[in-house]
């Protein structure tokens, strides 16, 4: 862990770095491929909506030795619809079937009682209408729209409209990937899934704002220097916050992974999957998009600005001139040159990371007395 801490410190100081922004076309290509896959999955497989959205019935049986898989098969044969059966802690079964009305519910109840060898009166049947799920879905869409409008306004005021636009694209990217995964794996979409989707929006935005705040700080007075382009400063911002993003993402993913793989997978608490899968995929996608999508998009948007375009030309021209003279690209401008043209004087961009100016140790040398004045 100390190595990770040292790497984080070196990334923050700019001593090492990874070229995320320079290779942005690769990340854009990966994201476009994932997004297309998600859309294809949605169109081909669709979403498996829970009974809260489509309406249906939930049957709670008394204690029985019949397995959940066998009960599921019995329920599907009796109803003609897809059923989900879960074994609860006291050896009872919870069976839910979509698209079932009252008449069909009574028939399914009698079939289950016969096959499970229990009394029909002991099976508790609850009918759920689709209107309840429609209300939840409508409220969720309204909340999502209001949330995104407020986010764009806040980011435009706190930072600038280009960052707000990039953050909005990253949020839509995260939502699309998460919904596409649900379509691919066939997990049921319930109100818990909607809660998980709304939760990941906040986390995704939090990670993006951390990088944007670093970029805003490091790009102050950027136009007054000729050492870095805006894209390079954006890349430094990602590197300086990279370890922090990794740490927060891993810490957030661990408990969610416990719910998804241990609680939902090994222990059979299937209802945990509704919310934990959306959280798991959304958290991972949010961390990915803040590093590989949002900040590179800001760099692309910003470098269409005439001032940043001119800066990029000056930086590249200066590097070509330095290369022609055989000088290092990172070498600071000579004092005489800096004195002739104040525009070429490198400004401090981002946190000061170099060694502090040391006191002159040879003052007084060369004087006859050797004393300092």
């Amino acid at each position: 862990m100390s190595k990770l801490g040292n790497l984080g410190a070196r990334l923050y100081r700019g001593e090492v770095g990874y070229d995320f922004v320079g290779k942005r076309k690769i990340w854009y290509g990966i994201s476009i491929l994932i997004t297309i896959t998600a859309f294809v999955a949605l169109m081909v497989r669709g979403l498996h909506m829970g009974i809260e959205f489509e309406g249906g019935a939930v049957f709670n049986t008394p204690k029985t030795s019949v397995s959940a898989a066998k009960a599921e098969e019995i329920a599907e044969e009796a109803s003609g619809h897809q059923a989900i059966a879960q074994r609860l802690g006291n050896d009872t079964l919870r069976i839910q079937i979509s698209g079932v009305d009252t008449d069909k519910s009574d028939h399914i109840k009698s079939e289950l009682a016969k096959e499970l060898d229990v009394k029909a009166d002991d099976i508790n049947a609850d009918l759920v209408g689709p209107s309840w799920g429609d209300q939840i879905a409508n409220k969720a869409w309204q909340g999502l729209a209001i949330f995104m409008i407020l986010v764009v306004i806040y980011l435009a005021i706190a930072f600038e409209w280009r960052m707000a636009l990039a953050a909005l694209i990253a949020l839509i990217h995260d939502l699309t990937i998460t919904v596409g995964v649900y379509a691919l794996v066939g997990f049921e979409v319930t109100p818990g899934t909607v809660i998980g989707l709304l939760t990941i929006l906040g986390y995704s935005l939090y990670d993006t704002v951390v990088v944007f705040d670093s970029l805003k700080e490091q790009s102050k007075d950027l136009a007054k220097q000729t050492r870095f382009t805006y894209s390079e400063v954006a890349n430094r911002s990602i590197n300086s916050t990279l370890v922090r993003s990794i740490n927060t993402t891993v810490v957030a993913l661990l408990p969610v992974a416990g719910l998804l793989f241990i609680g939902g997978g090994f222990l059979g608490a299937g209802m945990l999957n509704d919310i934990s899968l959306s959280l798991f995929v959304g958290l991972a996608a949010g961390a990915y998009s803040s590093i590989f999508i949002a900040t590179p998009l800001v760099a692309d948007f910003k470098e269409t600005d005439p001032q940043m375009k001119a800066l990029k030309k000056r930086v590249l021209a200066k590097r070509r001139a330095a290369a022609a003279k055989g000088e290092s690209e990172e070498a600071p401008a000579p004092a005489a040159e800096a004195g002739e043209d104040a525009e070429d004087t490198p400004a401090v961009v981002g946190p000061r990371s170099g060694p502090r100016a040391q006191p002159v140790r040879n003052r007084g040398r060369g004087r006859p007395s050797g004393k300092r004045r």
Side-chain angles (χ1 to χ4, degrees):
M1 294 302 291
S2 60
K3 289 183 178 179
L4 186 62
N6 292 334
L7 176 62
R10 294 182 67 195
L11 287 168
Y12 181 78
R13 292 194 298 264
E15 295 173 2
V16 295
Y18 302 97
D19 192 10
F20 296 104
V21 177
K23 297 177 180 177
R24 56 187 177 274
K25 290 183 179 178
I26 297 175
W27 319 131
Y28 292 166
I30 293 172
S31 291
I32 290 171
L33 186 63
I34 295 174
T35 305
I36 291 174
T37 305
F39 274 113
V40 171
L42 277 173
M43 289 188 291
V44 175
R45 295 174 60 89
L47 290 174
H48 180 203
M49 307 301 288
I51 62 171
E52 295 86 354
F53 295 99
E54 291 191 342
V58 179
F59 300 92
N60 289 297
T61 72
K63 185 177 180 180
T64 176
S65 59
V66 176
S67 67
K70 180 64 177 176
E72 207 170 81
E73 183 182 336
I74 295 168
E76 288 180 353
E77 287 179 0
S79 64
H81 295 275
Q82 187 175 5
I84 297 176
Q86 296 168 333
R87 179 166 290 282
L88 304 182
N90 52 357
D91 285 339
T92 61
L93 291 173
R94 182 180 186 272
I95 305 166
Q96 62 180 49
I97 309 171
S98 302
V100 174
D101 54 18
T102 306
D103 295 336
K104 214 164 192 175
S105 170
D106 294 337
H107 171 68
I108 297 169
K109 189 175 179 180
S110 61
E111 288 295 316
L112 285 173
K114 185 172 64 178
E115 298 292 337
L116 300 181
D117 195 20
V118 296
K119 294 181 180 178
D121 293 339
D122 292 338
I123 298 178
N124 182 33
D126 293 322
L127 288 174
V128 180
S131 59
W132 188 69
D134 289 341
Q135 290 178 3
I136 293 178
N138 290 332
K139 296 293 181 185
W141 281 115
Q142 291 174 13
L144 180 63
I146 294 171
F147 170 80
M148 286 194 167
I149 291 171
L150 292 177
V151 162
V152 169
I153 293 173
Y154 169 74
L155 290 179
I157 294 173
F159 298 100
E160 62 172 298
W161 68 267
R162 295 176 182 86
M163 291 184 175
L165 179 60
L168 181 64
I169 294 172
L171 283 178
I172 296 172
H173 167 271
D174 299 343
L175 278 177
T176 306
I177 290 178
T178 307
V179 174
V181 169
Y182 265 84
L184 279 174
V185 302
F187 273 27
E188 190 178 26
V189 177
T190 66
T193 308
V194 176
I195 294 170
L197 285 173
L198 295 177
T199 305
I200 62 174
L201 295 178
Y203 182 85
S204 173
L205 193 65
Y206 166 79
D207 219 25
T208 302
V209 166
V210 169
V211 183
F212 284 180
D213 189 56
S214 173
L215 176 56
K216 180 183 177 183
E217 182 66 25
Q218 296 201 39
S219 60
K220 283 181 179 176
D221 299 327
L222 186 63
K224 296 179 182 178
Q225 53 84 51
T226 55
R227 190 173 180 182
F228 300 109
T229 65
Y230 190 90
S231 291
E232 290 165 346
V233 174
N235 197 63
R236 291 179 57 159
S237 300
I238 297 174
N239 280 284
S240 65
T241 57
L242 182 62
V243 172
R244 177 178 177 175
S245 297
I246 293 173
N247 286 338
T248 53
T249 302
V250 170
V251 169
L253 280 177
L254 284 176
V256 178
L259 285 176
L260 179 63
F261 298 110
I262 298 176
F266 292 108
L267 301 182
M271 285 182 287
L272 292 177
N273 292 335
D274 302 345
I275 188 169
S276 56
L277 179 64
S278 60
L279 287 174
F280 186 83
V281 177
L283 290 173
Y288 168 80
S289 65
S290 64
I291 296 171
F292 297 97
I293 303 299
T295 310
L297 277 177
V298 171
D300 279 337
F301 295 156
K302 192 71 180 178
E303 290 199 334
T304 60
D305 182 73
Q307 193 178 24
M308 291 300 115
K309 287 173 74 175
L311 170 66
K312 187 175 182 179
K313 286 182 180 178
R314 291 199 302 272
V315 171
L316 297 180
K318 184 178 177 182
R319 289 179 184 174
R320 284 194 294 270
K325 295 177 182 177
E327 297 174 354
S328 170
E329 293 182 357
E330 294 294 329
E337 181 185 341
E340 291 173 3
D341 187 359
E343 185 176 304
D344 286 343
T345 304
V348 176
V349 179
R352 296 171 185 270
S353 57
R356 293 182 178 179
Q358 300 297 317
V360 179
R361 298 181 182 277
N362 60 348
R363 282 191 298 176
R365 290 181 183 175
R367 293 176 186 153
S369 62
K371 295 182 178 178
R372 300 176 183 176
R373 288 180 181 174

